[in-house]
Amino acid sequence: MTIKIISTAPIEGQKPGTSGLRKKVAIFREPHYLENFVQSIFNSLDGIEGTTLVIGGDGRFHNEAAIQTIIKMAAAAGFGRLLVGQGGLLSTPAASAVIRKHYAFGGIILSASHNPGGVDGDFGIKYNVSNGGPAPESVTSKIYENTKTIREYRIADLPDVDLDQRGSFNLAGCSLHLIDPVEDYAELMQSLFNFDKISSLFSSGFRLRFDAMHAVTGPYAKRVFEQILEAPTGTVINGDPQPDFGGHHPDPNPVHCAELVQALITTPLSSDIPDMAAASDGDGDRNLIIGRDLVVSPSDSLAILAANAHLAPGYKDGLAGVARSMPTSQAVDKVAEKLGIPCYETPTGWKFFGNLLDASKATLCGEESAGTGSNHVREKDGLWAVLLWLNILAERQQSVTDIVKSHWTAFGRHFYSRHDYEAVEAAAANDVMQHLRTELPALPGTRAGQLPIERADDFSYRDPIDGSVSANQGIRIYYENGARSVFRLSGTGTEGATLRVYLESYEPDPTKHDQDLQQALAAVIDAADAVSQLKKKIGRAEPSVVS
Ligand code: VG1
Ligand code: CO
């Protein structure tokens, strides 16, 4: 193999602690930019010679071009076998499944997840390690250091490969396998869920509408729902992956899925209202579940899945424990309490769940941002969540809405909402966080708006397995009666800063469960603004997105 060694200069790389490198497509298309980052990954790894690397992406603009480059660089780096999704596609959870099943050294996933795609959109790259999960901070900090010192990269002098074919090819000593992106994943799903039961649910007339949002889950959803489970053709909408996601924003929340939410409103009752709807994001790791007249809050979804997981064959022996990210509502805590299992609270980002899953301390994990998953892979998994819901519906023979309401009756309702302030000037956003940090010690015992503050802190996490500490993960303010507000800065935005405010209140009284969500949270919303001075400091009257 002829290897070219190209001189280059350091780049602004992925900050350790963030989920992959995300930038505008234009930056990724600058000469050497992608190459520098890929070489920085390889330079951070020991013992890759002859091992397997998995490569795939969510199909967004620049996906194929990036994969051509990565194949040549991986061959030059000494990998012995490359597993690449046909068409350059692999959803994030499928990549995790492929890494685990084929004992790969790691994987490179091209995605900026829910961020918009297209020539003017965002692109991203992340590295996953051999357990199938996102690289831990020990690896990402090495990658980051390498991006600051890189002087050259190595690339094999090979022609481009036709990614649309399937099969095995020899790249001068390195074997390249273009694999069916769905097969291993679909097989794994069949090992976890009762496909016969779910299939009978569909044949009895139950109707699902799954919106793949023109992103990577289209081929997965079509195969699993329409082919294997024999749901009617048309169950999957927007099922063809497009480089710009059809101009849409593949973020499964009620704002970006407004049409889907609308389709399940039952007044006036028409004959073609689906029983359930669901959507996934760009790279297939998130999910939104919608019942008739009800969008299931992702935090509630985690709690409900935890309470009912034993109904699916893969979880019939119960759960070892559950884990949720800190800003996720405390609904799952109540379930864990009842089940008598531990509930872990981790910082935002899936990588913190990896150690708990590897050590069998947690079986189910979730985040408020529509990510849920289990020990079957080391990423969150959108389609998995939809299938677990379907398995539960098939067993309980109740509607999504009835299951949610009966859950609230049994456990109380956690009203929950996230208010995002996007593209805020970084200095102003930092000022809000700084102000809160300075005020913290004096807050307990005072009032914010109408609400008495019980305690407040800046969340710090000590990993129970490896003892590593992640500090400054967000400000938590606990008010009386279980209400809470959380403030943190996003690590995934690409324009200015995104400030996220997470709002929660707890209502044990079932007669009050039907209140309007924002109304039920009004006192916490006021308190959060009073204590942070947020609107004044960033000069915004309203959040950009309420979900
Ligand atoms: C967001 C979500 C977080 C999620 C992360 C990656 O991060 O809030 O829960 O883990 O995206 O998800 P942030 O830092 O912007 O709040 V994905 O679907 O992009 O892998
Ligand atoms: Co995602």
Side-chain angles (χ1 to χ4, degrees):
M1 177 185 321
T2 316
I3 294 173
K4 292 188 285 184
I5 299 178
I6 316 264
S7 309
T8 185
I11 55 162
E12 192 206 325
Q14 171 190 9
K15 301 245 162 34
T18 57
S19 65
L21 178 66
R22 286 187 200 181
K23 298 277 174 197
K24 291 276 167 211
V25 165
I27 295 183
F28 270 100
R29 292 173 97 189
E30 282 171 11
H32 312 316
Y33 187 85
L34 172 77
E35 289 87 341
N36 279 5
F37 191 69
V38 173
Q39 190 65 54
S40 298
I41 295 175
F42 295 158
N43 290 350
S44 309
L45 309 173
D46 288 323
I48 54 183
E49 194 64 39
T51 64
T52 300
L53 181 72
V54 173
I55 307 168
D58 65 10
R60 67 177 60 224
F61 186 84
H62 204 51
N63 191 52
E64 287 215 23
I67 290 178
Q68 297 290 357
T69 301
I70 296 168
I71 289 174
K72 293 170 198 166
M73 291 186 68
F79 282 99
R81 183 168 71 141
L82 307 179
L83 303 180
V84 181
Q86 184 186 18
L89 296 180
L90 275 178
S91 76
T92 289
S96 187
V98 173
I99 292 171
R100 293 168 69 80
K101 180 173 171 186
H102 299 278
Y103 303 100
F105 190 89
I108 292 183
I109 304 171
L110 291 319
S111 172
S113 191
H114 55 287
N115 296 30
V119 62
D120 298 320
D122 292 339
F123 193 73
I125 172 168
K126 56 185 173 180
Y127 179 69
N128 282 28
V129 292
S130 62
N131 75 350
E137 206 139 323
S138 53
V139 176
T140 51
S141 54
K142 269 195 202 162
I143 299 174
Y144 182 60
E145 289 311 317
N146 275 310
T147 61
K148 294 196 294 189
T149 54
I150 187 160
R151 293 281 166 217
E152 61 182 37
Y153 66 86
R154 296 158 63 82
I155 186 161
D157 197 4
L158 293 167
D160 277 358
V161 180
D162 174 6
L163 295 178
D164 289 330
Q165 48 186 339
R166 192 106 47 92
S168 302
F169 310 87
N170 188 352
L171 305 178
C174 169
S175 68
L176 168 70
H177 305 266
L178 287 166
I179 60 169
D180 175 346
V182 183
E183 192 173 291
D184 290 335
Y185 179 81
E187 196 178 274
L188 179 59
M189 292 302 112
Q190 290 177 78
S191 75
L192 297 173
F193 302 116
N194 189 335
F195 269 48
D196 287 340
K197 261 228 151 104
I198 303 174
S199 188
S200 309
L201 183 69
F202 284 123
S203 59
S204 73
F206 177 92
R207 279 179 317 130
L208 168 72
R209 182 170 299 170
F210 181 86
D211 189 346
M213 304 188 94
H214 292 301
V216 79
T217 43
Y220 293 85
K222 279 191 197 157
R223 180 90 58 89
V224 171
F225 298 134
E226 295 185 5
Q227 288 173 19
I228 305 177
L229 290 166
E230 297 179 332
T233 310
T235 294
V236 178
I237 60 168
N238 301 322
D240 50 323
Q242 288 180 19
D244 66 346
F245 305 125
H248 297 297
H249 197 137
D251 193 351
N253 66 37
V255 177
H256 294 298
C257 297
E259 251 177 65
L260 202 60
V261 173
Q262 196 61 36
L264 272 85
I265 293 177
T266 54
T267 359
L269 195 62
S270 92
S271 58
D272 52 53
I273 300 171
D275 297 286
M276 168 179 168
S280 197
D281 70 333
D283 61 334
D285 57 2
R286 298 188 185 196
N287 72 92
L288 181 68
I289 305 288
I290 307 166
R292 287 188 169 176
D293 299 318
L294 179 111
V295 176
V296 185
S297 138
S299 297
D300 278 347
S301 180
L302 172 64
I304 292 164
L305 294 181
N308 294 281
H310 62 279
L311 298 174
Y315 308 94
K316 65 178 191 323
D317 298 331
L319 310 175
V322 289
R324 63 162 171 86
S325 68
M326 180 274 280
T328 304
S329 99
Q330 297 159 92
V332 73
D333 303 37
K334 297 254 182 239
V335 175
E337 203 173 38
K338 178 165 172 232
L339 295 175
I341 55 172
C343 176
Y344 296 89
E345 184 175 31
T346 60
T348 292
W350 206 260
K351 64 177 183 288
F352 293 99
F353 295 134
N355 278 351
L356 298 170
L357 293 166
D358 283 349
S360 301
K361 288 194 173 292
T363 311
L364 248 57
C365 306
E367 295 192 279
E368 51 65 42
S369 53
T372 17
S374 87
N375 57 355
H376 69 291
V377 287
R378 293 295 179 272
E379 288 278 4
K380 50 191 183 272
D381 188 344
L383 231 55
W384 167 90
V386 179
L387 285 165
L388 181 48
W389 263 99
L390 289 168
N391 201 145
I392 293 167
L393 296 175
E395 288 293 343
R396 287 185 53 166
Q397 295 289 322
Q398 280 175 292
S399 71
V400 171
T401 307
D402 286 347
I403 288 178
V404 173
K405 292 198 168 163
S406 68
H407 187 89
W408 292 341
T409 306
F411 293 93
R413 179 172 179 189
H414 291 257
F415 285 97
Y416 187 85
S417 179
R418 187 175 97 184
H419 290 191
D420 294 328
Y421 296 83
E422 293 175 344
V424 174
E425 220 182 287
N430 287 329
D431 183 34
V432 173
M433 296 305 289
Q434 197 44 52
H435 166 77
L436 282 164
R437 291 201 165 101
T438 316
E439 296 287 302
L440 270 185
L443 290 179
T446 63
R447 261 172 195 278
Q450 300 297 307
L451 297 183
I453 297 177
E454 278 184 350
R455 59 196 167 94
D457 66 4
D458 191 349
F459 180 57
S460 176
Y461 178 67
R462 186 173 184 283
D463 187 298
I465 314 299
D466 64 21
S468 60
V469 173
S470 306
N472 306 114
Q473 296 296 318
I475 306 289
R476 307 187 285 188
I477 301 180
Y478 294 87
Y479 310 95
E480 232 169 37
N481 301 328
R484 187 176 76 147
S485 59
V486 170
F487 301 81
R488 62 176 281 280
L489 295 179
S490 154
T492 61
T494 55
E495 256 171 78
T498 295
L499 185 63
R500 303 203 196 283
V501 186
Y502 308 82
L503 305 143
E504 174 177 358
S505 72
Y506 179 61
E507 180 52 73
D509 179 355
T511 64
K512 296 188 184 157
H513 287 171
D514 282 332
Q515 283 175 81
D516 172 77
L517 177 62
Q518 299 300 320
Q519 215 114 47
L521 288 167
V524 193
I525 295 171
D526 276 356
D529 190 51
V531 80
S532 65
Q533 300 286 306
L534 174 135
K535 290 186 176 159
K536 199 173 91 197
K537 283 184 186 292
I538 64 171
R540 298 269 177 97
E542 297 298 332
S544 332
V545 180
V546 172
S547 56

